[in-house]
């Protein structure tokens, strides 16, 4: 089959390339383990000696069968293989290496007249090929380095892919847990809401609608009869969205419950909208959640025919409708929990039945088809005056908006209080 390199040529080229091989190549090739396969002992010795001087750890095999026995899956990083060998030839060896150790690159060597074998070798996965005779063995070193670099890149990509798959699997597990947590939290939040469309002992009818833009809502509302003549109600819109805002609604509900329980035990604690908002403000500041809320809180006393209320930065303002005439309630105040101290005005007005009082979150404005903010406010007044400010009518508006394949931009809430 002939020599790769005549010994005299080898000695001549070695003197020229030794310095480059030892300075440049050996740094890259240090500790890389190779297997050289050739049935010619002289050629095998010369190649092994050169590669050993170039900084590789080199194993040798005199036949393809011996090569299969000497390949160490965890150690052999590249095989240099002649194609023309007696018994099992190089192509057969290449195919077996591809099947058993697909990550090990193979550099094949073929005579100038064996190009068909070279094409077959490349199809079988050979990483490079060289044509005999190889006068300068530095060419072989560069072919080895290219093949090793390519194999390293493939192995690195495989590691990255495996890491990515593992990360994706962990993210999916975390996402499932998060979704389960959100569903559970949504159930808790829903259970905190009052009953829908009820007439309290005070004779006041209460309705509400709450549609979150995400799984959890930052809007919250509640109402309850204090006694046979007094009804307390409120709506709050927590800053932000998602779980952190929903957590603030739990704190809100807890503050309200504690406030009413303490009011039962302490005759000095008067149940008023301002006193309630002051308690909520203190609890928000103490909790240090980084959240604030806009709020409308009202107390209607049917025995006195009076409505006492606060509007703590809530927008749009609540709408009072009497005799089919609607107007926004006048009141001023800063959001609860925003500043160190609470600033909020409390007002009391005379109000006899029949009337209806409507409060909605600013998410309602986002789903209204109007060009300007003033037009949207006018639409709200028209809806209230014509008895369209109802949970059913608002639900239709939301459905119409979503049919345009829009996601809700914000939580939507509506609280309606009425007396006939």
């Amino acid at each position: 089959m002939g020599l790769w390199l005549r010994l005299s040529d080898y000695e001549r080229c070695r003197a020229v390339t030794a310095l480059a091989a030892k300075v440049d190549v050996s740094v890259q090739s240090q500790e890389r383990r190779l297997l050289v396969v050739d049935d010619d002992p002289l050629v095998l010795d010369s190649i092994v000696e050169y590669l050993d001087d170039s900084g590789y750890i080199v194993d040798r095999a005199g036949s393809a069968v011996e090569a299969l026995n000497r390949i160490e899956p965890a150690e052999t990083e590249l095989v240099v293989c002649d194609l023309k060998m007696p018994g099992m030839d190089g192509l057969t060896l290449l195919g077996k290496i591809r099947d058993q150790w697909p990550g090990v690159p193979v550099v094949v060597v073929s005579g100038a007249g064996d190009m068909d074998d070279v094409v077959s070798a490349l199809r079988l996965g050979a990483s490079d090929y060289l044509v005999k005779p190889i006068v300068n063995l530095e060419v072989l070193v560069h072919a080895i380095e290219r093949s090793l670099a390519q194999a390293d890149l493939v192995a690195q990509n495989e590691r990255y892919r495996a890491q990515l798959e593992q990360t994706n699997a962990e993210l999916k597990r975390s996402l499932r847990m998060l979704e389960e947590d959100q569903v559970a939290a949504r159930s808790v939040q829903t259970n905190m809401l009052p009953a829908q469309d009820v007439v309290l002992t005070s004779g006041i009818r209460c309705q509400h609608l709450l549609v979150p833009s995400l799984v959890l809502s930052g809007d919250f509302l509640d109402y309850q009869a204090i006694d046979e003549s007094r009804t307390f109600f409120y709506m709050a819109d927590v800053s932000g969205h998602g779980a952190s805002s929903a957590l603030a609604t739990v704190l809100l509900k807890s503050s309200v419950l504690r406030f009413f329980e303490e009011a039962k035990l302490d005759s000095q604690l008067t149940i008023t909208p301002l006193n309630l908002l002051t308690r909520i403000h203190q609890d928000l500041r103490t909790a240090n959640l980084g959240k604030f809320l806009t709020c409308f809180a009202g107390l209607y006393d049917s025995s006195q025919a009076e409505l006492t209320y606060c509007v703590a930065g809530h927008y749009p303002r609540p709408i009072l409708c009497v005799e089919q005439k609607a107007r926004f309630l006048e009141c001023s105040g800063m959001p609860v929990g925003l500043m160190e101290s609470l600033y909020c005005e409390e007002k009391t007005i005379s109000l006899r039945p029949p009337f209806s009082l409507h409060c909605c979150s600013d998410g309602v404005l986002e789903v209204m088809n109007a060009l300007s903010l003033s037009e949207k406010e006018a639409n709200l007044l028209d809806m209230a005056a014509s008895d369209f400010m109802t949970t059913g009518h608002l639900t239709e508006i939301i459905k119409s908006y979503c049919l345009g394949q829009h996601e809700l931009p914000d939580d939507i809430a509506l609280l309606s209080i009425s007396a006939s």
Side-chain angles (χ1 to χ4, degrees):
M1 53 175 286
L3 295 177
W4 285 5
L5 184 66
R6 296 194 309 275
L7 189 58
S8 58
D9 292 332
Y10 166 68
E11 294 293 343
R12 211 167 28 246
C13 74
R14 185 176 179 184
V16 176
T17 61
L19 181 61
K22 291 181 179 297
V23 174
D24 296 330
V25 178
S26 62
V27 173
Q28 299 179 11
S29 60
Q30 189 68 31
E31 302 301 325
R32 307 307 294 264
R33 196 177 194 95
L34 313 179
L35 174 63
V36 180
V37 187
D38 198 288
D39 63 319
D40 188 314
L42 182 60
V43 172
L44 186 60
D45 288 344
S46 63
I47 298 302
V48 169
E49 183 180 354
Y50 189 88
L51 294 179
D52 184 70
D53 288 345
S54 298
Y56 297 100
I57 300 173
V58 188
D59 295 327
R60 65 178 69 204
S63 68
V65 174
E66 183 184 357
L68 290 175
N69 294 326
R70 294 190 64 85
I71 292 178
E72 296 290 341
E75 298 181 8
T76 304
E77 299 181 69
L78 181 139
V79 175
V80 178
C81 175
D82 189 23
L83 287 185
K84 297 297 184 181
M85 293 184 291
M88 183 186 297
D89 62 11
L91 289 177
T92 304
L93 175 62
L94 177 59
K96 291 183 178 295
I97 293 175
R98 181 199 62 185
D99 294 339
Q100 298 182 48
W101 306 284
V104 177
V106 179
V107 175
V108 299
V109 180
S110 174
D114 299 326
M115 294 308 296
D116 289 342
D117 288 342
V118 172
V119 173
S120 298
L122 293 177
R123 289 176 177 174
L124 286 172
S127 60
D128 205 343
Y129 74 92
L130 299 175
V131 178
K132 298 176 183 178
I134 304 175
V135 177
N136 186 353
L137 283 180
E138 186 66 15
V139 175
L140 175 60
V141 170
H142 286 304
I144 290 172
E145 287 299 319
R146 285 195 304 268
S147 298
L148 287 173
Q150 183 179 10
D152 290 344
L153 181 60
V154 171
Q156 185 181 57
N157 288 339
E158 284 296 315
R159 289 194 297 270
Y160 286 159
R161 183 187 62 80
Q163 292 174 1
L164 182 60
E165 289 180 353
Q166 181 180 359
T167 301
N168 286 339
E170 292 173 355
L171 287 175
K172 288 180 180 179
R173 287 194 296 270
S174 299
L175 181 59
R176 284 195 299 269
M177 293 176 62
L178 178 60
E179 289 173 345
E180 291 172 359
D181 290 345
Q182 286 183 323
V183 170
R186 177 59 181 161
S187 178
V188 171
Q189 192 176 47
T190 301
N191 290 332
M192 293 192 308
L193 292 171
Q196 173 63 273
D197 196 3
V198 297
V199 178
L200 303 178
T201 55
S202 56
I204 297 297
R205 183 184 181 186
C206 302
Q207 296 175 286
H208 77 267
L209 175 69
L210 182 59
V211 182
S213 60
L214 303 174
V215 177
L216 299 174
S217 174
D219 289 355
F220 194 74
L221 51 87
D222 200 1
Y223 39 75
Q224 60 178 293
I226 298 175
D227 51 38
E228 292 184 355
S229 62
R230 293 183 299 168
T231 301
F232 202 100
F233 43 87
Y234 67 90
M235 173 185 284
D237 185 353
V238 181
S239 60
H241 298 278
S244 60
S245 298
L247 180 62
T249 67
V250 177
L251 175 63
L252 169 64
K253 177 73 172 184
S254 176
S255 296
V256 173
L257 290 176
R258 288 203 310 272
F259 175 78
F260 283 113
E261 287 297 324
E262 292 174 11
K264 292 179 182 178
L265 302 175
D266 185 359
S267 59
Q268 300 298 317
L269 181 57
T270 306
I271 297 177
T272 67
L274 184 56
N275 285 344
L276 174 63
L277 293 188
T278 300
R279 168 60 60 83
I280 297 171
H281 177 85
Q282 293 169 349
D283 289 347
L284 271 177
R285 299 291 296 181
T286 301
N288 195 28
L289 296 178
K291 294 290 182 179
F292 62 89
L293 55 88
T294 62
C295 188
F296 164 66
L299 174 66
Y300 182 71
D301 188 338
S302 59
S303 65
Q304 302 295 321
E306 288 182 343
L307 171 66
T308 303
Y309 66 92
C310 293
V311 180
H314 193 82
Y315 183 81
R317 289 171 294 163
I319 300 173
L320 178 61
C321 187
V322 179
E323 296 179 350
Q324 295 185 331
K325 293 181 180 180
R327 65 179 178 89
F328 290 111
L329 289 179
E330 295 296 334
C331 206
S332 61
M334 296 291 291
V336 178
L338 179 62
M339 310 295 289
E340 183 174 352
S341 299
L342 174 67
Y343 168 74
C344 190
E345 180 184 12
E346 185 177 77
K347 281 195 171 185
T348 299
I349 61 174
S350 296
L351 184 60
R352 296 185 178 278
F355 69 86
S356 62
L357 178 62
H358 309 283
C359 183
C360 61
S361 63
D362 57 358
V364 172
L365 300 176
E366 299 289 341
V367 297
M368 295 180 64
N369 293 320
L371 297 178
S372 67
L373 191 60
S374 60
E375 288 179 320
K376 294 180 180 182
E377 290 179 335
N379 285 349
L380 286 178
L381 292 177
D382 290 341
M383 290 167 61
S386 57
D387 292 331
F388 280 160
M389 182 61 79
T390 62
T391 57
H393 187 68
L394 186 55
T395 300
E396 292 303 317
I397 294 177
I398 296 171
K399 286 181 179 179
S400 176
Y401 181 88
C402 293
L403 284 176
Q405 298 183 344
H406 298 293
E407 293 183 357
L408 290 177
D410 198 359
D411 303 325
I412 291 177
L414 171 67
L415 170 65
S416 292
I417 307 294
S418 60
S420 55

